[in-house]
Amino acid sequence: MPALWIAHVTVTDAEAYGKYAELAGPAIAKHGGSFIARGGRFVQLEGKERPRNVVARFPSVDAAVDCYNSPEYQEALSHARDASERELMVVETSE
């Protein structure tokens, strides 16, 4: 069943986070992920607001988790860790 990778992000170092974004996109695509929302307009109704929100669709929860754990994504993530505050989850869809 397909899954959504949902990230809520506050960027604290734009230059370093740019390197993350440069590397993360290809890693996500390599694991079957495609972006369906990336930093667009949003309305925060509950919880902590983060100015950048990203949603990627993967073929399955396992594919999304495999992507996260892959060497390529972990290399990208090494640039984001000190350059952002983030929450990331993977949610299986009902379709």
Side-chain angles (χ1 to χ4, degrees), residues 12-83:
T12 57
D13 179 340
E15 186 176 331
Y17 199 80
K19 183 66 174 170
Y20 159 79
E22 179 183 318
L23 297 172
I28 288 168
K30 180 179 178 179
H31 289 86
S34 61
F35 292 103
I36 59 175
R38 203 171 185 182
R41 181 176 175 252
F42 72 97
V43 175
Q44 184 74 29
L45 297 175
E46 293 185 20
K48 181 172 179 60
E49 181 173 308
R50 299 254 185 226
R52 183 164 177 80
N53 299 283
V54 178
V55 180
R57 184 179 179 90
F58 281 83
S60 66
V61 169
D62 290 341
V65 172
D66 288 347
C67 176
Y68 182 85
N69 291 320
S70 72
E72 301 89 357
Y73 187 77
Q74 288 299 307
E75 169 63 22
L77 192 56
S78 72
H79 298 281
R81 284 198 174 100
D82 293 329

